[in-house]
């Protein structure tokens, strides 16, 4: 073991301590690298901490098989993380299943046709009466729903904390309040300018979430922020909580704390404009009031917002940065980064070690070069 310090002479600098960057740093350290993980903010993982933590692939991914395969692998890696990192005091997630109501027969048929290649993905079909038995406080589903009992909701802030602690135990040096100010890169390595001076490393991994599009010293990446607003409700009694993640464009989920309800999330192309806003909160509250009459008396105990890193084709950017042989990009995870962040960490660590994971052909940042 070299006596060089990871803080001053790391092998790899990882920029961004969300689920993606922290998982990457952990995997690299497990592979023997000296790793410096930096985050601009005091609390690492700005996007990750804002997430609802729905730990199941979105049905939207049925239209993009490589993304669905990626998300399903992510789900497995996430399950291993949660199993390893949870403690009785901090369970990190709650198992609850997912219910996907459909409005009419045409929508049900469309969904079933899309899922035909993935038997079991949607779970089983249930009639409106069965939906009412599964979710007694929800307004009766007009047509029916698919129900999959195998989904979990992750306590996203607690998961980030547990990942950071694990990365530290693996030997990663974690620095918060430490923005990347500028970067020079050449064929042999990178020099990152940090608030207390330059740090040289062999490789830099850019995992700065929604902020990855415009980092100093790097070419602009086609990643844009999409704001998401969320609510937390405390119902008058526990039996008013949904029992499943009830998904749709907007969703409700029983929070892993066993008491509250998560309501999310808006999708707004408003740049980095902060929230929450009256309009966003109203949209979420109207969804609750319309579909969950018993929750009209629930208290709103929290509202917050975050930024998803979104790409034009909906796929993340994972791989070498064209023109910068020592920079690897890992961003653009949209609304699925809690689910897929840890798997991304495995892929990036393999890439830095000189392997070429086949899956990455679908996520090559070079596809956006034009
Ligand atoms: C409202 C909302 C709900 C969501 N719900 C879900 C969900 O249910 N399930 C799911 O799977 N995903 C969900 N997501 C998406 C998920 O949160 C993201 O995909 C994921 O957190 C991205 O992780 P990341 O590590 O790429 O980015 P982040 O967690 O944002 O981490 C990037 C970090 O980089 C840091 N940084 C930026 N610039 C610099 C710099 N110059 N120097 C140093 N550090 C820098 C930032 O401070 C930040 O902490 C949701 C997102 C939002 C906003």
């Amino acid at each position: 073991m070299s006596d060089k310090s990871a803080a001053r002479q790391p092998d790899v600098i990882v920029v961004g301590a969300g689920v993606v960057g922290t998982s990457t740093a952990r995997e690299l350290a497990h592979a023997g690298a000296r790793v410096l993980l930096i985050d601009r903010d005091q609390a690492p993982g700005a996007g990750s901490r804002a997430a609802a933590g729905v730990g199941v692939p979105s049905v939207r991914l049925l239209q993009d098989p490589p993304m669905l395969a990626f998300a399903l692998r992510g789900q497995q890696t996430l399950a291993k993380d949660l199993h390893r990192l949870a403690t009785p005091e901090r369970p990190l997630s709650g198992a609850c299943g997912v219910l996907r109501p459909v409005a009419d027969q045409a929508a049900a048929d469309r969904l079933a046709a899309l899922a035909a290649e993935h038997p079991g993905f949607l779970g089983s079909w249930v009639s409106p009466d069965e939906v009412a038995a599964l979710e007694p406080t929800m307004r009766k589903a007009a047509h029916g729903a698919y129900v999959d009992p195998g989904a979990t909701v992750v306590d996203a802030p607690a998961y980030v904390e547990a990942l950071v602690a694990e990365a530290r135990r693996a030997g990663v040096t974690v620095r918060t309040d430490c923005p990347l100010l500028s970067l020079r890169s050449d064929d042999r390595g990178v020099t990152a300018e940090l608030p207390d001076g330059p740090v040289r490393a062999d490789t830099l991994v850019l995992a700065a979430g929604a902020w990855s599009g415009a980092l100093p010293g790097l070419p602009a990446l086609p990643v844009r922020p999409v704001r998401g607003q969320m609510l937390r409700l405390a119902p008058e009694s526990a039996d008013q909580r949904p029992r499943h993640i009830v998904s749709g464009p907007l969703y409700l989920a029983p929070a892993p704390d066993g008491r509250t309800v998560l309501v999310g999330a808006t999708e707004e192309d408003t740049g980095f404009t902060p929230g929450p806003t009256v309009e966003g909160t109203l949209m979420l509250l109207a969804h609750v009031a319309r579909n969950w009459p018993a929750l009209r008396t629930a208290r709103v105990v929290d509202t917050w917002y975050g930024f998803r890193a979104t790409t034009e084709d909906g796929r993340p950017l994972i791989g070498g940065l064209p023109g910068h042989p020592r920079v690897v990009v890992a961003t653009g995870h949209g609304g699925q980064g809690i689910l897929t962040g840890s798997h991304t960490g495995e892929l990036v660590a393999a890439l830095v070690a000189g392997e070429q994971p086949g899956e990455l052909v679908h996520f090559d940042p070079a596809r956006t070069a034009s």
Side-chain angles (χ1 to χ4, degrees):
M1 178 91 171
S2 153
D3 62 356
K4 285 176 179 175
S5 122
R8 293 317 323 171
Q9 285 183 281
D11 299 315
V12 186
I13 301 169
V14 180
V15 181
V19 170
V20 174
T22 307
S23 303
T24 300
R26 172 196 66 193
E27 293 299 321
L28 288 163
H30 281 156
R34 287 185 309 264
V35 186
L36 171 62
L37 171 64
I38 62 168
D39 200 289
R40 182 194 59 185
D41 290 350
Q42 193 180 17
S48 301
R49 278 182 287 110
V54 171
V56 64
S58 159
V59 289
R60 291 178 195 174
L61 303 188
L62 286 169
Q63 301 184 57
D64 186 350
M67 264 310 285
L68 182 61
F70 174 65
L72 290 170
R73 286 192 199 100
Q75 194 174 14
Q76 287 172 5
T77 312
L78 173 64
K80 284 188 214 150
D81 274 6
L82 297 173
H83 182 71
R84 194 178 61 252
L85 297 172
T87 63
E89 301 74 43
R90 203 121 208 233
L92 295 186
S93 65
C96 55
V98 58
L99 187 82
R100 297 185 166 104
V102 291
D104 52 36
Q105 186 60 46
D109 291 347
R110 244 187 343 265
L111 212 50
L114 274 174
E117 307 255 301
H118 305 277
F121 175 79
L122 290 174
S124 44
W125 174 256
V126 285
S127 69
D129 286 345
E130 290 167 310
V131 175
L134 289 169
E135 286 295 349
T137 60
M138 185 173 76
R139 191 170 58 95
K140 199 167 177 188
H143 191 70
Y146 283 99
V147 63
D148 169 8
T152 51
V153 179
V154 181
D155 179 340
Y159 178 46
V160 175
E161 252 179 55
L163 282 176
V164 171
E166 189 183 43
R168 284 202 162 103
R169 286 196 299 277
V172 174
T173 300
V174 183
R175 293 189 60 191
T176 53
D177 280 325
C178 184
L180 173 73
L181 298 176
S182 70
L183 182 76
R184 290 190 307 281
S185 83
D186 53 45
D187 290 349
R188 286 169 293 115
V190 297
T191 305
E193 196 63 47
L194 304 185
D196 54 355
V199 176
R200 181 86 186 157
D202 296 337
T203 308
L204 180 130
V205 177
L206 175 56
W211 296 269
S212 305
L215 282 183
L218 287 167
L221 285 175
V223 177
R224 71 176 204 288
V226 169
R227 188 175 66 189
Q229 304 192 42
M230 298 277 313
L231 298 178
R232 187 186 294 274
L233 306 178
E236 283 184 315
S237 71
D239 57 11
Q240 292 171 345
R241 289 196 337 143
R243 297 170 182 175
H244 304 79
I245 302 159
V246 180
S247 78
L250 299 178
Y251 50 81
L252 269 73
D257 63 13
R259 294 176 292 105
T260 60
V261 179
L262 300 166
V263 186
T266 62
E267 294 187 20
E268 302 163 273
D269 237 328
T270 47
F272 285 111
T273 310
T277 63
V278 171
E279 198 180 28
T281 306
L282 271 178
M283 183 195 280
L284 299 175
L285 288 175
H287 177 72
V288 173
R290 209 168 33 242
N291 298 297
W292 298 82
L295 288 175
R296 287 178 179 214
T297 54
R299 278 184 309 123
V300 179
V301 289
D302 199 4
T303 61
W304 69 93
Y305 69 96
F307 297 108
R308 309 172 183 89
T310 308
T311 60
E312 207 50 55
D313 61 7
R315 294 182 180 181
L317 308 176
I318 309 171
L321 181 65
H324 295 260
R326 294 297 183 151
V327 178
V328 175
V329 178
T331 185
H333 290 70
Q336 304 265 284
I338 300 295
L339 188 68
T340 57
S342 192
H343 177 51
T344 301
E346 296 175 334
L347 294 171
V348 174
L351 195 64
V352 172
E355 296 167 34
Q356 285 297 333
E359 200 178 347
L360 288 184
V361 74
H362 305 292
F363 309 124
D364 187 348
R367 76 183 187 277
T368 65
S370 62

